[in-house]
Amino acid sequence: MGSFLIISCNSNKNFSSENIEKLTSDTIHISNPDLEYEVVIFDAGFTSWFNSFARPKNFYTQSFLEARNRIWIMEWNNRFRNPLRYGNIYDMPIEYDNTINYGYHVNYMIYNYLVYFQMTNKQQLGGFQARI
């Protein structure tokens, strides 16, 4: 089962965006020591899914990604705290502070992972269905 974790502090820097990104590893590690955050995604199927289905960068606005991520992460963490009700597929909480600007790239990767997770596991984390 895949999972990911965010550890964060302050971030006000946006990443430059390239329209086409291909992943090459089953472990995705995004970090920037200057901004003191880290995103790690461990999931054997995510790389293939991302390379096949993810919309190009800048397809969505950062505010759209942040809005979806906030709702989905809040529900993810709720399910993590209630394993008897939701099972053990939510194997770790996601630390995501709504007051921090993680930038486009981080939100883009989180969004895509959450879409992948919901579609692969037939889950719905928010009031709307994940779609590509």
Side-chain angles (χ1 to χ4, degrees):
M1 178 47 43
S3 61
F4 76 104
L5 167 71
I6 296 178
I7 302 170
S8 65
C9 283
N10 291 325
S11 171
N12 292 319
K13 183 176 178 183
N14 287 319
F15 286 83
S16 63
S17 298
E18 296 178 13
N19 285 335
I20 299 174
E21 178 173 335
K22 294 290 183 188
L23 300 179
T24 58
S25 172
D26 289 338
T27 301
I28 308 340
H29 185 99
I30 305 164
S31 67
N32 185 330
D34 296 336
L35 302 178
E36 299 180 17
Y37 73 78
E38 183 173 38
V39 176
V40 181
I41 302 172
F42 305 99
D43 196 311
F46 179 65
T47 299
S48 175
W49 180 92
F50 181 89
N51 290 338
S52 298
F53 299 108
R55 300 282 188 187
K57 285 186 178 178
N58 295 323
F59 183 85
Y60 303 107
T61 64
Q62 183 171 331
S63 61
F64 172 87
L65 297 172
E66 290 169 338
R68 291 292 200 263
N69 289 344
R70 276 196 278 303
I71 293 167
W72 288 344
I73 289 170
M74 186 170 39
E75 182 59 24
W76 174 290
N77 287 336
N78 178 51
R79 292 178 185 196
F80 166 78
R81 289 186 295 273
N82 295 290
L84 293 177
R85 182 172 182 190
Y86 295 105
N88 62 356
I89 63 172
Y90 305 93
D91 48 352
M92 66 179 50
I94 301 170
E95 296 179 32
Y96 185 90
D97 184 339
N98 297 332
T99 65
I100 294 175
N101 178 4
Y102 294 104
Y104 188 89
H105 186 69
V106 170
N107 279 286
Y108 172 76
M109 294 305 293
I110 293 169
Y111 172 82
N112 278 293
Y113 179 76
L114 292 172
V115 168
Y116 159 79
F117 174 85
Q118 291 177 83
M119 294 179 82
T120 302
N121 294 289
K122 297 178 177 50
Q123 300 291 304
Q124 185 172 347
L125 292 174
F128 42 87
Q129 189 142 359
R131 57 190 160 94
I132 45 177

